[in-house]
Amino acid sequence: MGAQQVRDGFEKLYGAAPEGVWAAPGRVNLIGEHTDYNDGFVMPFALPHTAVAAVSRRTDGVLRLHSADVEGGVVELRVEDLAPESDKNWTAYPSGVVWALREAGHQVTGADIHLASTVPSGAGLSSSAALEVVVALALNDLYELGLKGWQLARLCQRAENVYVGAPVGIMDQTASACCETGHALFLDTRDLSQRQIPFDLAAEGMRLLVVDTQVKHSHSEGEYGKRRAGCEKGAALLGVDALRDIPYADLDAALARLGDEEEVRRLVRHIVTENERVERVVSLLESGETRAIGPVLVEGHASLRDDFRISCPELDLVVDTALTAGALGARMTGGGFGGSAIVLAEEPDVDAITKAVTEAFATEGFTAPRVFEAVPSAGASRVH
């Protein structure tokens, strides 16, 4: 839905034009899965799919929220009544941002907000982060808070961790706030240092496909939290602040120290090898060897499937089928337990790969997947 449509929807709902319209994108993670809450490395890029918000300030402590994507009328809340885990609906994401801003000492006295999003929900493409970041950016601009993109990302992460109750890392919000067109974002989640890595596949005759398996996942459900707790247990047993601190060269020795803690061993092995894979992909892209990242993506999928154990039959089918049909590389992306896979392919092979995956899903009796090209796009901005 375009900015003008969202602007018009706001005016129809609230009886006046909004003070502005903002957009924030979803993201695809190229490599670096579940490393963000272990202080590790990630490499997302922004999608052209965005959450769009038309917003005006209020001075009476009232927060009014409406989404074009959810049935129902305007939800009215009082900013002083916002409290963690008090809301189990979609409104928890924007209201959580208002709560986080106020908790940080920013005088946000209310708002009228109308939202619409083209980021597929439950597909592992960070629809919730896009929703949070677009609201945060709008309020930052309207209330002249002067916060940078990385600071907004931190507040949005706090909103999701504490207010929503989902133990997500910092990657999704940072990608939505900070990515640039034609680049992937190499992010160190410990110090939030960033490097924009050129990633223009079309110029090299390649495409990156997203295959949404239509299997819905939810970060706030228990399995994600169990993986995070297991990683924290591994760090404690190894005497480090985070698994980021285990050098790749020392992995075997670290695993040996974990003894019979088999589940923790698997989690540690994934995180340490995944950080190394991110660094390898950065090196390959910077040296112009883009096609060589394909096998690294496949390694990442095997690690997520076998060590982290967060894949599912549909995701495995995408990867296996795409590779058989000639893809350069493929892996699941996002939190897991459903969602999407990415496929790196030569441009002439895209149609054949798409057809093979679609037919494989039909053969297995799975819901037909949604396949689209992922084009590295711009981060959040004011659009009207």
Side-chain angles (χ1 to χ4, degrees):
M1 187 174 286
Q4 189 60 50
Q5 284 176 283
V6 177
R7 185 181 178 87
D8 292 346
F10 181 102
E11 194 162 352
K12 186 176 178 183
L13 278 169
Y14 299 121
E19 292 185 81
V21 183
W22 290 260
R27 66 96 189 97
V28 162
N29 193 23
L30 182 63
I31 192 77
E33 219 65 80
H34 288 265
T35 47
D36 60 344
Y37 55 79
N38 289 284
D39 282 2
F41 304 125
V42 295
M43 201 171 182
F45 64 87
L47 288 166
H49 306 71
T50 60
V52 181
V55 185
S56 287
R57 288 166 291 183
R58 296 180 67 99
T59 57
D60 58 358
V62 171
L63 176 64
R64 294 197 293 181
L65 302 167
H66 185 268
S67 170
D69 309 312
V70 181
E71 285 189 22
V74 174
V75 176
E76 186 168 313
L77 304 164
R78 293 203 60 80
V79 295
E80 63 189 28
D81 295 336
L82 300 177
E85 300 198 51
S86 60
D87 187 349
K88 298 301 180 186
N89 300 307
W90 72 269
T91 47
Y93 296 99
S95 62
V97 169
V98 174
W99 170 83
L101 285 167
R102 286 171 57 83
E103 279 284 297
H106 302 293
Q107 298 302 309
V108 177
T109 54
D112 287 338
I113 301 175
H114 174 55
L115 294 147
S117 180
T118 58
V119 185
S121 176
L125 303 175
S126 298
S127 57
S128 58
L131 202 58
E132 292 157 1
V133 170
V134 75
V135 171
L137 181 62
L139 296 174
N140 182 55
D141 286 358
L142 290 175
Y143 282 97
E144 299 180 339
L145 304 180
L147 298 170
K148 305 291 188 188
W150 67 268
Q151 294 172 304
L152 294 176
R154 273 278 192 229
L155 285 164
C156 290
Q157 182 199 16
R158 178 165 166 74
E160 192 155 352
N161 287 170
V162 180
Y163 194 90
V164 178
V168 300
I170 191 66
M171 174 181 69
D172 297 351
Q173 293 83 1
T174 307
S176 187
C178 300
C179 278
E180 294 181 4
T181 303
H183 291 75
L185 179 70
F186 177 38
L187 173 67
D188 181 334
T189 65
R190 170 163 283 170
D191 62 13
L192 296 188
S193 60
Q194 304 176 13
R195 231 162 73 216
Q196 300 288 344
I197 309 296
F199 192 55
D200 185 358
L201 293 175
E204 298 188 60
M206 287 175 283
R207 295 286 186 269
L208 191 79
L209 303 177
V210 174
V211 182
D212 176 5
T213 64
Q214 307 282 349
V215 178
K216 301 298 181 187
H217 76 126
S218 173
H219 276 166
S220 51
E221 290 175 5
E223 290 299 320
Y224 184 99
K226 285 180 189 174
R227 301 305 187 281
R228 183 165 185 162
C231 290
E232 290 167 355
K233 181 180 179 182
L237 288 171
L238 292 167
V240 293
D241 290 337
L243 294 182
R244 146 72 173 279
D245 296 314
I246 305 297
Y248 179 69
D250 296 347
L251 176 59
D252 289 344
L255 295 177
R257 286 167 55 203
L258 291 170
D260 60 359
E261 291 275 0
E262 184 53 39
E263 185 173 347
V264 175
R265 282 163 56 93
R266 286 191 283 100
L267 298 178
V268 170
R269 184 165 52 225
H270 167 72
I271 297 302
V272 176
T273 58
E274 187 79 346
N275 278 322
E276 188 271 340
R277 280 186 285 272
V278 177
E279 292 185 293
R280 225 187 318 158
V281 167
V282 171
S283 178
L284 289 167
L285 291 178
E286 290 190 323
S287 60
E289 300 176 73
T290 306
R291 284 170 174 79
I293 74 171
V296 189
L297 302 184
V298 179
E299 285 178 35
H301 183 76
S303 183
L304 290 162
R305 179 192 65 211
D306 301 336
D307 277 343
F308 231 64
R309 300 190 182 183
I310 58 170
S311 190
C312 67
E314 291 85 350
L315 289 168
D316 293 341
L317 185 63
V318 174
V319 172
D320 294 343
T321 305
L323 293 172
T324 301
L328 297 166
R331 74 171 192 92
M332 60 153 285
T333 187
F337 312 107
S340 298
I342 55 173
V343 178
L344 180 67
E346 302 284 4
E347 187 175 0
D349 297 333
V350 165
D351 289 345
I353 291 168
T354 302
K355 183 171 183 282
V357 170
T358 303
E359 289 177 351
F361 269 58
T363 299
E364 292 295 325
F366 295 152
T367 301
R370 178 183 178 216
V371 184
F372 59 91
E373 184 182 353
V375 180
S377 300
S381 66
R382 186 168 185 159
V383 293
H384 201 292

